[in-house]
Amino acid sequence: MKLRPSTSRCLQQQLQNPSRYRNVRPRVCLQCREQLHGHDKGMGNWGMAVRSIATEATPRSKGRQIRLVFPAPIIAGQRRTLATVQNDDRGPIQEYEARVAAGRLRDDEHQRGIIESLQHLHDELRGYDAPPTVHPTIESLKPTSKSMFGRLFGNRPKEQKLKDIPENLPRGLYLYGDVGSGKTMLMDLFYETLPSSVHSKTRIHFHNFMQDVHKRLHKMKLEHGNDIDGVPFVAADIAEKGNVLCFDEFQCTDVADAMILRRLLEALMSHGVVLVTTSNRHPDDLYKNGIQRESFIPCINLLKNRLHVINLDSPTDYRKIPRPPSGVYHAPLDKHASSHAEKWFRFLGDPQQDQPRAETQRVWGREIHVPKVSGRAAMFTFDELIGKPTSAADYIELMRSYDAFVVTNVPGMTYRERDLARRFITFIDAVYESRAKLVLTTAVPLTQLFLSKEEVKESVQRDKEDKKGQAEEEGHDVDDTMRHLMDDLGMNMKMLKSSSIFSGDEERFAFARALSRLSEMGSREWVERGMGLEKDGGKEEKDSWQRVRSRQMEDSM
């Protein structure tokens, strides 16, 4: 049952004049039942009567239960909870197909791929139970008392440590695209079909949301002093009102927003809030050229690591197969992972003309089993490719036979799996040197493929203690991309490169190089190079890329 922006006239009169109907049983027409918006404030017993009438059986609701959840006071531009949820839980895919069948939407393969991601999150939310929201106390958010001298000359008060993000928190969605790419339609489709297990949901324009947050933070400072860290408290308030939070038009154009966004979003996630947002730009392009943008980079990394970033724009391929909407790397190994790999395999291979099959390649008398091949694309699990005793010669032979590789179920590799890590790095180098494509589904973010957070933190702490008082050399040879990749580990590369966690300079260099190359191979320019995309020159561009690849392979022989 779809909610509309405003209630009809008969219900408005009763809501606006409760005293007139205090002793009269309110009458609510069918239209009002479908358009009801909650007004908790000041409704009292009369409001309870309206609720009971609104949930009575009607000809349209016969045979299904309708649950109405009344919200807190409304922020401008916000749709909050009053979510009508039906026990049939029709998901985004079923709703999309119904609209296509009714002629309301045109069937589009690219859009179907996006809606499949919406459906995956819908399915995860069915079994997700958000933890109860625990408010921090005002006292815990205040700085520790200082002497007069400390208050005058001391550093900025330390921010309150946030709770860890729950391990079972479903990864949200970040949908971006140009005007006309269908952002609003897709958000409507997702929001209106959220399962009944989602007890509360909020949808709001991002600009209005941030204005409300700043007002709340300002009020806290007026009441409790400028030194209070209000972000955790405000986040808990917001989390209490909705365990699925949908933003329209996520953007950052203000330095005040940039300063608090990372902690605000992380605090919401720590309370179990699932975020879904639309935007007109990729996270990497947010707050571009903004003041103190380097302090906003952690927020960009949080978005990329905790939300599935999906491109809504549908470029035309010369084979008429739309490019998959998400990037080539996917973490963690959730319900989205297998469909992510299949979409890219269909795009990079040629399943319409060349049915997927298994092949065997021979290297120096040995056989390499390739479990799935289509066109010039090969697909392996990590165990099938790296878990077996393979060498650089094997990988080079594979590069001669295929242009693209999809590797699934890549685990995080700690020092105990250092042999696997070295072998995988050798494979990454072979892909990079041959200018081939690489798609991965991984258990952890890229920055934790070869080292766990715990390993890195322990090693850095140990090295700090060992080298106390010594000056550190600047890591001037590490580019900005590497620094950004390492940001979510909470450290910089000069600390990592001098860490005792590596067995020597060669291993340090190999690790840094692998991450840098993975970052470059994940770029749009790398992925689309040689694909014959019409906007980049079509067949001529594809032939040119093939010639470059051939020369690269000849040089490696």
Side-chain angles (χ1 to χ4, degrees):
M1 186 164 62
K2 185 176 179 180
L3 292 179
R4 299 177 186 174
S6 61
T7 58
S8 63
R9 184 173 301 276
C10 72
L11 183 57
Q12 283 180 351
Q13 290 173 352
Q14 296 178 68
L15 291 174
Q16 291 167 4
N17 302 286
S19 58
R20 180 177 172 185
Y21 296 92
R22 190 173 303 281
N23 298 316
V24 180
R25 180 175 175 80
R27 298 178 180 274
V28 185
C29 69
L30 178 61
Q31 183 184 9
C32 289
R33 290 191 185 97
E34 295 188 355
Q35 297 181 357
L36 183 62
H37 275 249
H39 292 254
D40 263 356
K41 207 168 183 178
M43 287 177 69
N45 295 331
W46 180 88
M48 294 298 292
V50 172
R51 296 184 199 202
S52 65
I53 292 174
T55 54
E56 286 177 355
T58 70
R60 291 184 61 178
S61 67
K62 188 175 182 181
R64 70 180 188 228
Q65 180 186 2
I66 300 175
R67 179 166 66 243
L68 301 175
V69 188
F70 280 69
I74 302 296
I75 302 168
Q78 172 181 320
R79 262 194 273 175
R80 177 174 281 168
T81 347
L82 223 315
T84 52
V85 281
Q86 306 170 4
N87 62 7
D88 57 5
D89 278 353
R90 182 157 76 169
I93 287 180
Q94 295 95 324
E95 180 64 23
Y96 179 76
E97 288 174 346
R99 295 184 186 185
V100 168
R104 295 169 59 192
L105 293 175
R106 180 176 60 85
D107 199 358
D108 180 87
E109 187 179 346
H110 178 74
Q111 209 163 59
R112 274 188 179 274
I114 295 164
I115 291 170
E116 197 171 273
S117 295
L118 301 181
Q119 183 68 45
H120 287 319
L121 181 55
H122 175 97
D123 294 341
E124 287 182 79
L125 288 170
R126 283 176 187 264
Y128 174 63
D129 189 16
T133 303
V134 179
H135 268 78
T137 63
I138 294 296
E139 288 304 315
S140 70
L141 301 176
K142 290 181 178 179
T144 53
S145 58
K146 293 182 178 179
S147 63
M148 178 67 73
F149 184 82
R151 285 196 295 272
L152 290 173
F153 301 103
N155 294 328
R156 188 166 171 256
K158 191 175 181 181
E159 293 173 333
Q160 177 82 3
K161 186 179 184 304
L162 300 175
K163 295 191 306 179
D164 291 336
I165 297 174
E167 291 184 4
N168 68 331
L169 178 70
R171 195 172 176 186
L173 299 172
Y174 183 103
L175 311 173
Y176 76 98
D178 291 333
V179 174
S181 59
K183 295 191 292 290
T184 301
M185 184 276 290
L186 289 166
M187 182 67 94
D188 286 344
L189 193 69
F190 177 77
Y191 188 81
E192 291 167 10
T193 59
L194 277 168
S196 54
S197 56
V198 176
H199 301 304
S200 55
K201 59 183 182 180
T202 300
R203 180 175 177 182
I204 184 171
H205 193 282
F206 188 71
H207 177 70
N208 294 335
F209 172 79
M210 288 308 300
Q211 278 193 325
D212 179 68
V213 167
H214 286 300
K215 285 178 184 175
R216 294 182 190 222
L217 292 174
H218 180 65
K219 183 179 178 182
M220 289 194 72
K221 288 184 182 296
L222 289 177
E223 292 178 359
H224 305 289
N226 285 330
D227 289 342
I228 194 167
D229 178 17
V231 170
F233 195 88
V234 170
D237 270 350
I238 296 168
E240 209 166 39
K241 306 301 186 296
N243 54 319
V244 173
L245 180 54
C246 297
F247 292 130
D248 286 305
E249 302 297 338
F250 188 103
Q251 58 182 314
C252 183
T253 57
D254 187 285
V255 65
D257 292 352
M259 293 301 100
I260 66 167
L261 259 176
R262 161 70 188 252
R263 294 193 74 242
L264 177 63
L265 297 182
E266 192 170 356
L268 288 169
M269 292 178 194
S270 74
H271 286 293
V273 175
V274 178
L275 300 179
V276 178
T277 183
T278 64
S279 180
N280 62 0
R281 58 186 64 194
H282 188 279
D284 286 332
D285 296 327
L286 291 170
Y287 198 50
K288 217 159 193 178
N289 304 318
I291 299 170
Q292 299 180 26
R293 187 177 189 266
E294 64 280 357
S295 62
F296 186 67
I297 297 300
C299 183
I300 292 174
N301 288 333
L302 178 73
L303 291 171
K304 293 195 295 185
N305 289 336
R306 291 289 177 175
L307 306 181
H308 295 295
V309 179
I310 296 177
N311 184 5
L312 303 184
D313 299 324
S314 178
T316 304
D317 180 61
Y318 76 106
R319 295 164 298 162
K320 305 303 179 188
I321 300 174
R323 182 186 187 278
S326 55
V328 289
Y329 306 133
H330 177 94
L333 299 176
D334 55 14
K335 291 184 178 181
H336 302 253
S338 58
S339 64
H340 172 91
E342 286 295 335
K343 286 174 192 173
W344 275 104
F345 182 70
R346 289 197 299 270
F347 178 69
L348 296 170
D350 192 8
Q352 293 180 353
Q353 306 296 328
D354 186 13
Q355 287 294 316
R357 66 195 181 283
E359 282 186 352
T360 300
Q361 301 293 339
R362 288 175 174 80
V363 183
W364 295 353
R366 298 193 315 276
E367 292 186 347
I368 306 174
H369 178 65
V370 186
K372 196 171 182 180
V373 176
S374 175
R376 297 277 294 176
M379 188 171 179
F380 300 83
T381 66
F382 180 85
D383 287 340
E384 289 166 341
L385 180 67
I386 307 298
K388 297 177 180 179
T390 47
S391 66
D394 300 317
Y395 303 143
I396 290 172
E397 185 60 36
L398 289 174
M399 299 306 131
R400 293 194 180 100
S401 303
Y402 309 107
D403 293 339
F405 297 87
V406 180
V407 184
T408 63
N409 300 327
V410 179
M413 290 160 273
T414 66
Y415 72 92
R416 296 181 184 86
E417 294 87 26
R418 194 53 52 88
D419 286 343
L420 288 177
R422 290 193 187 101
R423 205 176 295 159
F424 190 48
I425 287 173
T426 302
F427 172 74
I428 291 169
D429 288 342
V431 174
Y432 181 85
E433 296 294 344
S434 70
R435 301 296 188 264
K437 319 291 183 189
L438 181 61
V439 176
L440 301 175
T441 64
T442 62
V444 295
L446 292 185
T447 49
Q448 298 172 47
L449 273 182
F450 310 114
L451 297 167
S452 69
K453 277 188 177 182
E454 290 69 27
E455 281 182 310
V456 173
K457 288 178 180 177
E458 288 174 11
S459 175
V460 170
Q461 186 59 38
R462 186 168 59 249
D463 292 342
K464 272 184 175 179
E465 293 170 359
D466 292 344
K467 300 175 182 178
K468 207 166 186 179
Q470 294 182 21
E472 293 180 327
E473 295 181 3
E474 286 295 324
H476 55 81
D477 58 330
V478 183
D479 60 18
D480 288 338
T481 301
M482 278 301 304
R483 291 193 182 91
H484 297 167
L485 276 172
M486 295 309 301
D487 182 77
D488 69 311
L489 290 175
M491 56 187 299
N492 55 40
M493 276 303 297
K494 65 183 179 184
M495 295 165 65
L496 184 64
K497 285 170 75 71
S498 62
S499 170
S500 61
I501 199 166
F502 298 109
S503 59
D505 290 339
E506 187 176 342
E507 192 172 84
R508 293 188 189 99
F509 177 74
F511 169 85
R513 182 184 62 198
L515 285 185
S516 183
R517 287 182 167 183
L518 282 172
S519 176
E520 185 179 350
M521 288 192 290
S523 68
R524 181 172 182 170
E525 292 75 18
W526 184 284
V527 172
E528 293 188 352
R529 189 185 303 146
M531 293 304 298
L533 299 179
E534 291 173 359
K535 67 181 179 61
D536 292 331
K539 187 175 185 302
E540 182 181 343
E541 190 268 343
K542 180 181 173 67
D543 292 343
S544 173
W545 177 77
Q546 288 285 7
R547 286 194 295 271
V548 171
R549 259 205 102 226
S550 297
R551 285 197 296 271
Q552 289 284 341
M553 295 313 304
E554 289 170 7
D555 292 342
S556 68
M557 292 177 68

